[in-house]
Amino acid sequence: MKLSRNNGLRASAIGALVVSGALVLSACGSDDNNEPTKSGGKQTSAAASNIKCDGAKGQLLAAGSSAQENAMDLWVKNFQAACEGVEVNYQGIGSGGGITKFNQGQVAFAGSDSALKDEEVAESKKICKGGTGVNLPMVGGPIAIGYKLEGVDNLVLDASTIAKIFDTKITKWNDPAIAKLNPGAKLPDSTIQAFHRSDESGTTQNLGKYLSTAAAADWKYDPKTKSWPAPGGQAANGSSGVAQAVKGAEGSIGYFELSHATANKISTVSVNTGAAAPVAATSENASKAIADAKVKGTGNDVALSLNYETKAEGAYPLVLVTYEIACDKGNKAETLPTLKAFLNYAISEEGQKVLTDADYAPMPAEIAAKVRAIVPTLS
């Protein structure tokens, strides 16, 4: 497929894996109405036949990250097509809401765009009898900075200008800092409308981690918070809410997973990282940034440490990884077979392969192997 620098078209994830052997990512989501995902439909019979149901039955409830909700749509559709009588309901209510529901015992697993905090791990032990909540990375991708600005198709920003825009320190599109990064662009003397998430979000947290690392002098907020920390701007619920707000407002800018830009035909910012050329938000470029992600978790926990300051050529640094959070021990007996079967499918080669159809991409071999070894041991 054609790789466009700023229009958010999907990159070829498979090509990225062949070229770099690294993690190819593009996260997405849709939580504008917070309704459970109840996907139907069929995949090819050959693919469906590869899904192992392993005693899956009844209903499986899950909630969390909106960044992965479209991935869940694919997985749920295929899993339900293969496993008769099974219903998987995933609510894209944001990472914070998903972790809360998980630690209250309301869902079998949660999706989160950031690993559990120490206090959340401690709280999970009340639900995971004899065990604890663990982070299992399944999908991730670039966080696109989307904008709507007539006549400007190839906007370039760096970490400092992004931080100042979202912190309302830069309020005009023709600000000298933006103009310097975009020589020759016809930047209007108009007010920037910056949109952020109103709900607790791992996407917000990952943006904060990036800005507090790559633009430390300009972003002084707590990088661990999932709530929007800066004053000013306008809020919208969920990734899809921010994307819709940007799509409908001239002079606007916001942040969301790449697929929202693709689905809504929203232009995306290329980031000046200090490399030879600005880097577009694509799956392939995200893979180059996350290639050196390190596993910081221990035992059955596969939490990753991402590199937000990469200056490698073609590496897009504003990225996230979405985890499925489940109990390593102490899962409910009535949902355990379905939980394991579903997660086994999601991290399988077949489950990872289908993600490329919706701006997602597989976990790299090393990470996938770790997760594939852990899921069958859940008890």
Side-chain angles (χ1 to χ4, degrees), residues 96-110 116-128 132-134 325-327:
I99 291 173
T100 296
K101 281 182 173 288
F102 177 75
N103 279 337
Q104 291 176 347
Q106 297 179 30
V107 294
F109 72 91
L116 291 171
K117 299 176 182 177
D118 290 343
E119 59 268 28
E120 292 169 339
V121 172
E123 191 175 353
S124 75
K125 294 180 179 180
K126 300 175 184 178
I127 297 299
C128 306
T132 186
V134 292
I325 295 169
C327 296

Side-chain angles (χ1 to χ4, degrees), residues 27-37 60-73 75 88-103 106-114 116 120 139 197 199-204 226 237-240 257 260 320-326 342 360:
C28 58
S30 175
D31 57 352
D32 50 335
N33 57 15
N34 290 341
E35 287 299 316
T37 297
L60 186 70
L61 301 179
S65 164
S66 66
Q68 68 163 7
E69 192 170 11
N70 286 348
M72 281 290 165
D73 280 334
W75 288 336
V88 180
N89 286 351
Y90 181 84
Q91 291 180 308
I93 59 174
S95 300
I99 291 173
T100 296
K101 281 182 173 288
F102 177 75
N103 279 337
Q106 297 179 30
V107 294
F109 72 91
S112 178
D113 303 329
S114 57
L116 291 171
E120 292 169 339
V139 70
R197 291 279 290 268
D199 54 322
E200 285 199 345
S201 164
T203 309
T204 295
K226 292 185 176 74
N237 186 63
S239 292
S240 62
E257 294 72 39
H260 288 286
L320 60 77
V321 169
T322 297
Y323 302 92
E324 312 313 331
I325 295 169
F342 180 74
Y360 287 86

Side-chain angles (χ1 to χ4, degrees), residues 203-278:
T203 309
T204 295
Q205 185 183 50
N206 278 276
L207 174 65
K209 288 178 179 179
Y210 165 70
L211 294 177
S212 65
T213 303
D218 302 302
W219 193 259
K220 300 294 188 180
Y221 303 102
D222 180 6
K224 296 181 181 180
T225 182
K226 292 185 176 74
S227 300
W228 183 252
Q234 302 178 61
N237 186 63
S239 292
S240 62
V242 175
Q244 287 297 318
V246 171
K247 182 179 180 180
E250 176 63 23
S252 60
I253 192 169
Y255 60 93
F256 32 77
E257 294 72 39
L258 180 62
S259 70
H260 288 286
T262 303
N264 291 284
K265 298 181 179 179
I266 297 172
S267 297
T268 60
V269 166
S270 288
V271 177
N272 183 332
T273 63

Side-chain angles (χ1 to χ4, degrees), residues 163-169 171 194 196 219 221 228-234:
K164 290 176 181 178
I165 286 170
F166 283 110
D167 198 23
T168 63
K169 297 295 191 298
T171 60
H196 58 263
W219 193 259
Y221 303 102
W228 183 252
Q234 302 178 61

Side-chain angles (χ1 to χ4, degrees), residues 295-364:
V295 176
K296 64 179 180 180
T298 58
N300 287 336
D301 189 89
V302 195
L304 302 176
S305 178
L306 302 173
N307 179 11
Y308 295 105
E309 290 187 288
T310 180
K311 292 179 174 60
E313 296 301 325
Y316 184 82
L318 183 45
V319 293
L320 60 77
V321 169
T322 297
Y323 302 92
E324 312 313 331
I325 295 169
C327 296
D328 60 352
K329 297 178 182 179
N331 290 283
K332 294 179 180 179
E334 61 269 25
T335 58
L336 180 60
T338 308
L339 170 68
K340 292 170 68 174
F342 180 74
L343 295 183
N344 271 324
Y345 164 61
I347 195 59
S348 71
E349 286 189 23
E350 188 64 43
Q352 292 289 295
K353 184 178 178 180
V354 301
L355 298 181
T356 61
D357 293 333
D359 280 332
Y360 287 86
M363 288 283 105

